[in-house]
Amino acid sequence: MSLTERQIKAALEQALPLYHDRVCFEWNDGVVTLNGTVEDEEIKRLAETALSKIAGVTSVIDNLSVGETDVPDNLKKEIIRQLKGKMEIPADRIRLCITPKTIEVRGTVKWNYQKKAALEIIDALKETRAVLDYLVVDNALNTMLRKEDILEVIRAHDRITSEDINVIVNGSNIIIVGSVPDIAQQQLAQKIVQEIPGVGNVRNALLIH
C-alpha cells in the first residue's frame, strides 16, 4: 500500500469511525473512487470532504450507495484473521468492503496462487453474500522470474513436501529438480509452477523417493 493509500485509509477511519470498514476505495493517479454502502447522504459527504483534503488527491468519485448497513462486525474480523493466518497471503495488500449483500475484495497481489487462496477463504465465510472479485495480480512484479520466488510459491503449499525440491531458471523456462514422496506431489509441483505468471515451458525432473 502506497503512502497516499495509507493516508486515504486513515482519513476514512477518522471521518467514518462506524462505517469505514464498509467503504472500499480505488486510487489511481490522483483520483479516489469510493464504493460500498453507508447509512445516509451525510456520511457520503463526510467521506468526500475528508479525502479532498489529502495532498495529491485531485478528485473523488463517489459511488457509495445509501441503504441497509447491518453487517456483523465479527465477519470482517474473522475473514482478516484467516487471511493473516495463511503465510502465503499478503493480507496487508487486501481490502474488504462488506455489505449485507456483497463482499468486495480489492487490492494487488504478486501471484495467482495468493489470489486463489484469499478468495477460497472469503468464499467459505461469505454466508449468503456475493463475492465481488476486484483483486489484481500484478504481472509487472513478475517480469523477471527468480529462483527464490518460484521456490517460495512451491513452499507455500502445505500439500507438498518441499525440502528436497529445487528449480533451474532459464528465462521463462523452468526445470523442477529434486525429489518428493509420491506422484501426486510430483504432478502438483508442476501444476503450481505452470500457473506462475511469466512461466513458459516447465520440465518436471522430480524423482519419487
Side-chain angles (χ1 to χ4, degrees), residues 20-98:
H20 67 87
D21 59 347
R22 296 165 200 173
V23 175
C24 285
F25 68 86
E26 296 177 74
W27 164 250
N28 184 26
D29 196 23
V31 179
V32 182
T33 303
L34 296 176
N35 298 282
T37 304
V38 294
E39 192 173 57
D40 54 44
E41 293 291 339
E42 175 63 14
I43 295 171
K44 287 163 62 75
R45 186 190 66 78
L46 288 173
E48 187 168 349
T49 299
L51 298 185
S52 65
K53 296 177 181 178
I54 298 174
V57 173
T58 57
S59 63
V60 178
I61 299 174
D62 183 359
N63 290 334
L64 291 171
S65 301
V66 175
E68 182 186 2
T69 60
D70 185 19
V71 177
D73 290 337
N74 62 349
L75 176 59
K76 185 172 184 179
K77 291 179 182 177
E78 178 59 19
I79 292 174
I80 292 173
R81 186 188 71 79
Q82 292 203 25
L83 291 176
K84 289 183 175 179
K86 284 278 191 178
M87 290 183 59
E88 69 266 32
I89 299 176
D92 60 328
R93 288 176 165 265
I94 297 173
R95 300 193 303 273
L96 302 172
C97 181
I98 303 177

Side-chain angles (χ1 to χ4, degrees), residues 32-168:
V32 182
T33 303
L34 296 176
N35 298 282
T37 304
V38 294
E39 192 173 57
D40 54 44
E41 293 291 339
E42 175 63 14
I43 295 171
K44 287 163 62 75
R45 186 190 66 78
L46 288 173
E48 187 168 349
T49 299
L51 298 185
S52 65
K53 296 177 181 178
I54 298 174
V57 173
T58 57
S59 63
V60 178
I61 299 174
D62 183 359
N63 290 334
L64 291 171
S65 301
V66 175
E68 182 186 2
T69 60
D70 185 19
V71 177
D73 290 337
N74 62 349
L75 176 59
K76 185 172 184 179
K77 291 179 182 177
E78 178 59 19
I79 292 174
I80 292 173
R81 186 188 71 79
Q82 292 203 25
L83 291 176
K84 289 183 175 179
K86 284 278 191 178
M87 290 183 59
E88 69 266 32
I89 299 176
D92 60 328
R93 288 176 165 265
I94 297 173
R95 300 193 303 273
L96 302 172
C97 181
I98 303 177
T99 74
K101 296 181 179 179
T102 64
I103 300 177
E104 289 188 19
V105 190
R106 297 182 181 273
T108 303
V109 294
K110 186 174 182 180
W111 303 106
N112 273 325
Y113 82 90
Q114 293 173 329
K115 174 176 178 173
K116 181 179 178 182
L119 292 177
E120 284 177 351
I121 287 175
I122 294 166
D123 192 60
L125 297 171
K126 67 181 181 181
E127 299 172 345
T128 59
R129 294 170 176 82
V131 177
L132 306 180
D133 171 22
Y134 301 108
L135 199 55
V136 174
V137 177
D138 189 351
N139 290 321
L141 297 174
N142 306 310
T143 53
M144 182 177 293
L145 293 168
R146 299 191 312 149
K147 171 182 174 178
E148 294 79 7
D149 291 334
I150 295 171
L151 289 174
E152 178 187 340
V153 174
I154 296 171
R155 290 166 182 160
H157 287 258
D158 54 14
R159 287 187 292 160
I160 291 185
T161 306
S162 58
E163 290 86 352
D164 297 323
I165 294 179
N166 209 334
V167 295
I168 300 170

Side-chain angles (χ1 to χ4, degrees), residues 171-209:
S172 64
N173 300 317
I174 311 298
I175 303 174
I176 313 173
V177 297
S179 61
V180 288
D182 53 56
I183 192 170
Q185 292 193 34
Q186 182 190 55
Q187 294 173 344
L188 179 58
Q190 179 168 344
K191 181 176 183 294
I192 290 167
V193 174
Q194 285 174 329
E195 291 179 350
I196 295 174
V199 167
N201 183 58
V202 178
R203 184 159 73 87
N204 192 340
L206 282 172
L207 301 176
I208 297 173
H209 61 74

Side-chain angles (χ1 to χ4, degrees), residues 1-15 25 27 32 50-51 53-57:
M1 186 178 292
S2 69
L3 174 60
T4 304
E5 287 175 317
R6 288 196 293 270
Q7 291 175 325
I8 292 169
K9 183 174 183 291
L12 288 173
E13 289 175 351
Q14 183 174 359
F25 68 86
W27 164 250
V32 182
L51 298 185
K53 296 177 181 178
I54 298 174
V57 173

